[in-house]
């Protein structure tokens, strides 16, 4: 399939250094926050470190790729096209931003730093996929989920987009890649995780031990173990494919609602808790949680990503972007 290319003019960068509060409050040791310096609500959803030291974010409400510069607090919005509503964003091996755009029913690539927009529409007849998140496999192809019931791939060298109906229908949400290059995803509605056969595109379902747990996001650690945020049960769980085992832990608090999960370069696990308005770090060796309280009510961190020494958080409930420096 031939990708479509848009050369829409870019919005001007918005300077934030003159705005009050751009340096942010220190809610916890190592935590710093900024209110996004934009003239409109962005609906910040996912974040990804950019190759120039900035941080990208998906502006779901306004239809942009956002770029935030920590050194100055400056924010730029790059328009993605008519009807855009991006959900996920990651950095590709090509140093470009790749987004799952549910509004355009397409995968969108933004080259960096020239900001050229390339859209990869889903095959004709696919229907509305409600695109969610994406990850690159070990061979350089992009895999993505659609909550309406799809798992698909962009063959990056050719631009061909293929989709497969997901096992058990609607629900595909989080997706990740292991150090070996394998792709795993989870189903929020189906309450399971699955491994993709990269050759055929089919998925093998793996059942967690907790029924109806609401697996929302997944992330791999350095050993290829799959960490799962369980939205319904409030647990953080882990599947070891090599041993075919499961373990689960419940963070402190009355009603944890675990949404996002991320594993950093030290194999520390990070999870967002809507119920406690906090971020939890979890040490798999000691099996202990540490709480990092968010400085504003209803932070609603829906995704976590980072780079060495930094854990980045998009506060969709407050239009802030936050970092925890480790």
């Amino acid at each position: 399939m031939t990708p479509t290319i848009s050369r829409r003019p870019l919005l001007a960068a918005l300077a934030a250094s003159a705005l009050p509060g751009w340096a942010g409050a220190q809610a916890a040791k190592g935590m710093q926050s900024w209110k996004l310096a934009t003239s409109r609500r962005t609906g910040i959803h996912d974040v990804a470190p950019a190759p120039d030291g900035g941080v990208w974010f998906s502006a779901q409400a306004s239809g942009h790729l956002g770029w935030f510069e920590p050194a100055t607090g400056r924010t730029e919005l790059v328009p993605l096209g008519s009807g855009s509503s991006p959900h996920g964003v990651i950095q590709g091996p090509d140093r470009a931003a790749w987004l799952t755009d549910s509004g355009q029913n397409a995968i969108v690539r933004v080259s960096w730093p020239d900001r050229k927009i390339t859209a990869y529409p889903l095959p004709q007849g696919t229907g509305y996929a409600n695109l969610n998140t994406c990850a690159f496999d070990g061979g350089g192809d992009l895999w993505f989920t659609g909550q309406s019931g799809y798992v698909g791939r962009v063959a990056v060298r050719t631009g061909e987009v293929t989709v497969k109906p997901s096992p058990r229908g609607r629900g595909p949400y989080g997706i990740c890649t292991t150090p070996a290059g394998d792709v795993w995803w989870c189903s929020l509605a189906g309450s399971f995780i699955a491994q993709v056969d990269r050759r055929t595109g089919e998925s093998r379902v793996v059942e967690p031990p907790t029924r109806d747990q609401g697996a929302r996001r997944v992330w791999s650690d350095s050993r290829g173990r799959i960490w799962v945020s369980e939205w319904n049960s409030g647990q953080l769980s882990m599947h070891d494919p090599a041993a075919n085992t499961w373990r689960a832990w419940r963070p402190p608090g009355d009603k944890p609602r675990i949404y996002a999960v991320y594993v950093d370069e030290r194999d520390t696990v990070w999870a967002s808790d809507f119920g406690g308005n906090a971020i939890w770090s979890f040490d798999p060796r000691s099996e202990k949680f540490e709480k990092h309280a968010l400085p504003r009510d209803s932070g609603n961190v829906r995704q976590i990503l980072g780079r060495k020494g930094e854990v980045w958080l998009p506060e969709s409930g407050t239009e802030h972007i936050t970092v925890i420096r480790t």
Side-chain angles (χ1 to χ4, degrees):
M1 177 174 294
T2 302
T4 58
I5 299 176
S6 168
R7 301 181 184 275
R8 293 168 59 91
L10 304 179
L11 294 184
L14 299 172
S17 56
L19 298 180
W22 76 267
Q26 296 291 333
K29 183 180 179 181
M31 180 182 287
Q32 185 176 9
S33 299
W34 299 259
K35 184 170 179 57
L36 293 176
T38 57
S39 60
R40 59 186 296 186
R41 177 177 174 270
T42 68
I44 181 173
H45 201 285
D46 283 17
V47 291
D52 56 8
V55 180
W56 290 316
F57 61 91
S58 55
Q60 190 175 49
S62 63
H64 297 86
L65 168 68
W67 177 77
F68 171 74
E69 186 175 53
T72 64
R74 185 165 62 99
T75 303
E76 177 184 337
L77 297 178
V78 180
L80 299 178
S82 177
S84 173
S85 181
H87 186 287
V89 59
I90 60 172
Q91 183 183 157
D94 55 359
R95 298 169 64 85
W98 289 79
L99 301 103
T100 46
D101 194 327
S102 60
Q104 298 192 81
N105 215 33
I107 304 300
V108 177
R109 177 184 183 271
V110 182
S111 61
W112 210 258
D114 60 358
R115 295 154 171 77
K116 178 181 175 183
I117 313 296
T118 307
Y120 298 84
L122 269 58
Q124 189 172 3
T126 300
Y128 176 63
N130 192 6
L131 292 169
N132 278 70
T133 48
C134 56
F136 280 90
D137 68 17
D141 286 337
L142 182 80
W143 293 85
F144 57 86
T145 58
Q147 200 170 181
S148 297
Y150 297 98
V151 176
R153 180 184 69 169
V154 178
V156 173
R157 291 181 182 178
T158 64
E160 181 185 15
V161 183
T162 55
V163 295
K164 292 273 189 180
S166 60
R168 306 179 191 174
R170 60 181 295 271
Y173 205 98
I175 194 169
C176 71
T177 307
T178 69
D182 295 326
V183 177
W184 288 78
W185 58 274
C186 62
S187 174
L188 175 59
S191 289
F192 63 81
I193 69 172
Q195 182 181 14
V196 173
D197 183 324
R198 291 160 51 192
R199 183 179 60 83
T200 66
E202 301 292 342
S203 297
R204 176 181 65 88
V205 170
V206 177
E207 298 278 5
T210 303
R211 294 187 61 185
D212 302 322
Q213 81 293 132
R216 188 145 211 165
R217 299 262 189 174
V218 286
W219 207 267
S220 173
D221 64 19
S222 66
R223 296 166 55 182
R225 300 180 301 181
I226 308 301
W227 292 85
V228 186
S229 57
E230 298 184 357
W231 176 247
N232 296 339
S233 72
Q235 295 182 146
L236 176 67
S237 64
M238 182 268 288
H239 173 60
D240 185 343
N244 193 28
T245 57
W246 282 89
R247 293 197 66 191
W249 301 263
R250 186 179 176 88
D254 294 335
K255 296 181 179 179
R257 300 298 301 275
I258 305 303
Y259 196 117
V261 63
Y262 165 69
V263 184
D264 69 16
E265 74 279 1
R266 301 173 182 173
D267 272 352
T268 299
V269 185
W270 298 82
S272 64
D273 178 6
F274 275 39
N277 195 41
I279 306 300
W280 294 100
S281 56
F282 178 74
D283 183 345
R285 294 161 289 275
S286 66
E287 300 187 21
K288 292 183 178 180
F289 286 94
E290 180 180 354
K291 186 175 183 177
H292 308 263
L294 293 171
R296 290 156 293 277
D297 291 339
S298 303
N300 296 352
V301 172
R302 301 176 185 272
Q303 193 253 10
I304 305 171
L305 240 175
R307 56 186 156 219
K308 187 175 181 179
E310 298 178 344
V311 177
W312 285 92
L313 316 167
E315 294 186 33
S316 66
T318 68
E319 287 285 297
H320 281 71
I321 191 165
T322 294
V323 65
I324 300 174
R325 296 189 174 90
T326 61

